[in-house]
Amino acid sequence: MKKTLTESDYFEMNRVGWDRRAEAHFGSRFYDLKGFLSGETSLREIELAELGDVNGKSLLHLQCHFGMDTLSWARKGAVCTGVDISPVAIKKARELAQELQLGAEFVCTDVYSFQRSAPAPYDIVFTSYGTVCWLPDLSRWAQVIASNLAVGGRFYIVEFHPVYDLLAGYSYFTKHEPDIDEEGTYTENASDAIGKFAAWAHPISSVITALLAVGIQIERVSEFPYSPYNCFEGMVEREPGRFYLSHKENDIPMVYSITGRKIAD
């Protein structure tokens, strides 16, 4: 009889896969860790323009991978906490923080289980590029965001557009059971990190509705016809750092972002 997998089983599957990916990503050209260590930012034009000044703000980065974006915000003056499910990634993030002498905290846990150590909530909660697909329930995700965000604080997500997933052959709408695929990673050394992953589709409407339900007022929703990452097959870099895909001679929406503010407890 086939075993019915639980949420914990899926999270463990993804944890194993992301441990493998983290190891491969450290030395990849895609992440360019050498450039980052020499002072380059890992942040992209979209989030830099839309999130703006973070100096002196406390910032919670959910699903931070091995901390390059978290530490890039720390370089801009934010007091950062990064959270990720992969112990391999979190170990590397802590090593990078120590090497760069940046005061960022890193916590190894899944998003739903995160509990902050500081009594005060954060001024900013941030998450980016390939995050919500690893979570089965956006209502619980939004509750974690709201419980850790100060009244008046900002929430910001920049994420790959779910229309791409639809064109790639996956559901646009959320299904109870995740899609499970065995695949390599999205960096040039993909064969170094073959793993099995469970992922859930979430339309933009579900993301917005979940945030509104926990008292986060939506201030801006943006969509972009390009990705700042060359991470999908067939992309064309028409402008420096902007990668496009077309469908029937029209540009596919590649990225969306949402800016919100918590209005009350």
Side-chain angles (χ1 to χ4, degrees), residues 26 64-68 71 88-98 104 106:
F26 299 154
C64 68
H65 200 24
F66 62 97
M68 288 175 62
L71 295 171
V88 174
I90 288 296
K91 181 176 182 291
K92 186 63 173 181
R94 290 168 178 164
E95 291 172 353
L96 289 174
Q98 184 174 13
F106 289 97

mmCIF file of all heavy atoms in Angstrom, residues 26 64-68 71 88-98 104 106:
data_model
loop_
_atom_site.group_PDB
_atom_site.id
_atom_site.type_symbol
_atom_site.label_atom_id
_atom_site.label_comp_id
_atom_site.label_asym_id
_atom_site.label_seq_id
_atom_site.Cartn_x
_atom_site.Cartn_y
_atom_site.Cartn_z
ATOM 1 N N PHE A 26 27.101 27.315 -4.057
ATOM 2 C CA PHE A 26 28.219 28.075 -3.489
ATOM 3 C C PHE A 26 29.271 28.391 -4.546
ATOM 4 O O PHE A 26 29.840 29.482 -4.554
ATOM 5 C CB PHE A 26 28.895 27.305 -2.348
ATOM 6 C CG PHE A 26 28.000 27.000 -1.168
ATOM 7 C CD1 PHE A 26 28.264 25.914 -0.354
ATOM 8 C CD2 PHE A 26 26.906 27.792 -0.878
ATOM 9 C CE1 PHE A 26 27.449 25.616 0.729
ATOM 10 C CE2 PHE A 26 26.078 27.505 0.199
ATOM 11 C CZ PHE A 26 26.355 26.408 1.001
ATOM 12 N N CYS A 64 15.718 32.581 2.881
ATOM 13 C CA CYS A 64 16.866 33.412 2.508
ATOM 14 C C CYS A 64 17.964 32.660 1.771
ATOM 15 O O CYS A 64 18.966 33.259 1.386
ATOM 16 C CB CYS A 64 17.450 34.068 3.754
ATOM 17 S SG CYS A 64 18.244 32.900 4.905
ATOM 18 N N HIS A 65 17.830 31.327 1.582
ATOM 19 C CA HIS A 65 18.882 30.508 0.976
ATOM 20 C C HIS A 65 20.179 30.694 1.788
ATOM 21 O O HIS A 65 20.125 30.626 3.023
ATOM 22 C CB HIS A 65 19.044 30.843 -0.490
ATOM 23 C CG HIS A 65 19.718 29.775 -1.302
ATOM 24 N ND1 HIS A 65 19.731 28.449 -0.925
ATOM 25 C CD2 HIS A 65 20.429 29.826 -2.468
ATOM 26 C CE1 HIS A 65 20.407 27.745 -1.830
ATOM 27 N NE2 HIS A 65 20.838 28.548 -2.769
ATOM 28 N N PHE A 66 21.320 30.926 1.161
ATOM 29 C CA PHE A 66 22.528 31.048 1.979
ATOM 30 C C PHE A 66 22.925 32.494 2.243
ATOM 31 O O PHE A 66 24.083 32.811 2.503
ATOM 32 C CB PHE A 66 23.693 30.217 1.421
ATOM 33 C CG PHE A 66 24.178 30.580 0.045
ATOM 34 C CD1 PHE A 66 25.278 31.399 -0.140
ATOM 35 C CD2 PHE A 66 23.563 30.063 -1.072
ATOM 36 C CE1 PHE A 66 25.749 31.696 -1.409
ATOM 37 C CE2 PHE A 66 24.026 30.345 -2.350
ATOM 38 C CZ PHE A 66 25.129 31.172 -2.515
ATOM 39 N N GLY A 67 21.943 33.372 2.231
ATOM 40 C CA GLY A 67 22.080 34.662 2.884
ATOM 41 C C GLY A 67 22.668 35.809 2.098
ATOM 42 O O GLY A 67 22.874 36.890 2.667
ATOM 43 N N MET A 68 22.911 35.661 0.801
ATOM 44 C CA MET A 68 23.523 36.766 0.067
ATOM 45 C C MET A 68 22.628 38.004 0.027
ATOM 46 O O MET A 68 23.094 39.124 0.249
ATOM 47 C CB MET A 68 23.891 36.310 -1.346
ATOM 48 C CG MET A 68 25.070 35.367 -1.394
ATOM 49 S SD MET A 68 25.408 34.700 -3.063
ATOM 50 C CE MET A 68 25.791 36.188 -3.980
ATOM 51 N N LEU A 71 22.425 39.567 3.545
ATOM 52 C CA LEU A 71 23.643 40.314 3.870
ATOM 53 C C LEU A 71 23.792 41.548 2.987
ATOM 54 O O LEU A 71 24.398 42.549 3.412
ATOM 55 C CB LEU A 71 24.859 39.400 3.743
ATOM 56 C CG LEU A 71 24.879 38.244 4.756
ATOM 57 C CD1 LEU A 71 25.997 37.260 4.437
ATOM 58 C CD2 LEU A 71 25.033 38.767 6.191
ATOM 59 N N VAL A 88 22.419 23.314 5.545
ATOM 60 C CA VAL A 88 23.634 23.565 4.760
ATOM 61 C C VAL A 88 23.698 25.037 4.353
ATOM 62 O O VAL A 88 24.745 25.689 4.461
ATOM 63 C CB VAL A 88 23.672 22.648 3.525
ATOM 64 C CG1 VAL A 88 24.842 23.001 2.614
ATOM 65 C CG2 VAL A 88 23.764 21.188 3.951
ATOM 66 N N ALA A 89 22.566 25.569 3.891
ATOM 67 C CA ALA A 89 22.519 26.975 3.495
ATOM 68 C C ALA A 89 22.720 27.907 4.688
ATOM 69 O O ALA A 89 23.459 28.889 4.600
ATOM 70 C CB ALA A 89 21.183 27.265 2.811
ATOM 71 N N ILE A 90 22.085 27.608 5.798
ATOM 72 C CA ILE A 90 22.195 28.476 6.973
ATOM 73 C C ILE A 90 23.621 28.468 7.531
ATOM 74 O O ILE A 90 24.147 29.507 7.956
ATOM 75 C CB ILE A 90 21.179 28.057 8.053
ATOM 76 C CG1 ILE A 90 19.761 28.430 7.610
ATOM 77 C CG2 ILE A 90 21.503 28.698 9.399
ATOM 78 C CD1 ILE A 90 19.513 29.932 7.448
ATOM 79 N N LYS A 91 24.273 27.328 7.511
ATOM 80 C CA LYS A 91 25.674 27.264 7.960
ATOM 81 C C LYS A 91 26.551 28.181 7.111
ATOM 82 O O LYS A 91 27.386 28.933 7.641
ATOM 83 C CB LYS A 91 26.181 25.832 7.889
ATOM 84 C CG LYS A 91 27.628 25.637 8.361
ATOM 85 C CD LYS A 91 28.008 24.156 8.340
ATOM 86 C CE LYS A 91 29.428 23.947 8.866
ATOM 87 N NZ LYS A 91 30.439 24.487 7.937
ATOM 88 N N LYS A 92 26.342 28.143 5.789
ATOM 89 C CA LYS A 92 27.121 29.007 4.901
ATOM 90 C C LYS A 92 26.784 30.472 5.136
ATOM 91 O O LYS A 92 27.682 31.329 5.126
ATOM 92 C CB LYS A 92 26.847 28.629 3.447
ATOM 93 C CG LYS A 92 27.718 29.371 2.439
ATOM 94 C CD LYS A 92 29.184 29.031 2.619
ATOM 95 C CE LYS A 92 30.040 29.635 1.521
ATOM 96 N NZ LYS A 92 31.483 29.286 1.679
ATOM 97 N N ALA A 93 25.507 30.782 5.355
ATOM 98 C CA ALA A 93 25.102 32.165 5.621
ATOM 99 C C ALA A 93 25.796 32.705 6.869
ATOM 100 O O ALA A 93 26.279 33.847 6.885
ATOM 101 C CB ALA A 93 23.582 32.238 5.781
ATOM 102 N N ARG A 94 25.857 31.903 7.905
ATOM 103 C CA ARG A 94 26.533 32.334 9.133
ATOM 104 C C ARG A 94 28.027 32.538 8.908
ATOM 105 O O ARG A 94 28.623 33.484 9.430
ATOM 106 C CB ARG A 94 26.282 31.306 10.237
ATOM 107 C CG ARG A 94 24.837 31.288 10.741
ATOM 108 C CD ARG A 94 24.560 30.078 11.624
ATOM 109 N NE ARG A 94 23.195 30.107 12.140
ATOM 110 C CZ ARG A 94 22.583 29.046 12.680
ATOM 111 N NH1 ARG A 94 23.223 27.873 12.758
ATOM 112 N NH2 ARG A 94 21.349 29.153 13.112
ATOM 113 N N GLU A 95 28.627 31.666 8.107
ATOM 114 C CA GLU A 95 30.047 31.816 7.789
ATOM 115 C C GLU A 95 30.298 33.097 7.001
ATOM 116 O O GLU A 95 31.276 33.819 7.256
ATOM 117 C CB GLU A 95 30.538 30.604 6.990
ATOM 118 C CG GLU A 95 30.595 29.321 7.791
ATOM 119 C CD GLU A 95 30.890 28.101 6.915
ATOM 120 O OE1 GLU A 95 30.915 28.259 5.674
ATOM 121 O OE2 GLU A 95 31.082 27.002 7.483
ATOM 122 N N LEU A 96 29.416 33.412 6.056
ATOM 123 C CA LEU A 96 29.554 34.638 5.276
ATOM 124 C C LEU A 96 29.397 35.875 6.153
ATOM 125 O O LEU A 96 30.146 36.845 6.010
ATOM 126 C CB LEU A 96 28.516 34.665 4.146
ATOM 127 C CG LEU A 96 28.726 33.686 2.994
ATOM 128 C CD1 LEU A 96 27.534 33.732 2.040
ATOM 129 C CD2 LEU A 96 30.005 33.989 2.243
ATOM 130 N N ALA A 97 28.417 35.834 7.053
ATOM 131 C CA ALA A 97 28.216 36.970 7.965
ATOM 132 C C ALA A 97 29.452 37.210 8.819
ATOM 133 O O ALA A 97 29.875 38.360 9.031
ATOM 134 C CB ALA A 97 26.994 36.717 8.848
ATOM 135 N N GLN A 98 30.060 36.133 9.298
ATOM 136 C CA GLN A 98 31.261 36.251 10.116
ATOM 137 C C GLN A 98 32.433 36.768 9.280
ATOM 138 O O GLN A 98 33.174 37.651 9.717
ATOM 139 C CB GLN A 98 31.605 34.907 10.738
ATOM 140 C CG GLN A 98 32.797 34.968 11.692
ATOM 141 C CD GLN A 98 33.015 33.646 12.413
ATOM 142 O OE1 GLN A 98 32.447 32.619 12.049
ATOM 143 N NE2 GLN A 98 33.821 33.669 13.454
ATOM 144 N N ALA A 104 24.216 39.929 11.128
ATOM 145 C CA ALA A 104 22.936 39.325 10.751
ATOM 146 C C ALA A 104 22.754 38.008 11.485
ATOM 147 O O ALA A 104 23.710 37.262 11.700
ATOM 148 C CB ALA A 104 22.880 39.101 9.244
ATOM 149 N N PHE A 106 20.887 34.232 11.552
ATOM 150 C CA PHE A 106 20.307 33.259 10.631
ATOM 151 C C PHE A 106 19.700 32.111 11.416
ATOM 152 O O PHE A 106 20.322 31.567 12.325
ATOM 153 C CB PHE A 106 21.355 32.752 9.640
ATOM 154 C CG PHE A 106 21.747 33.792 8.630
ATOM 155 C CD1 PHE A 106 22.879 34.570 8.811
ATOM 156 C CD2 PHE A 106 20.960 34.020 7.515
ATOM 157 C CE1 PHE A 106 23.234 35.551 7.895
ATOM 158 C CE2 PHE A 106 21.295 34.998 6.585
ATOM 159 C CZ PHE A 106 22.439 35.757 6.777
#
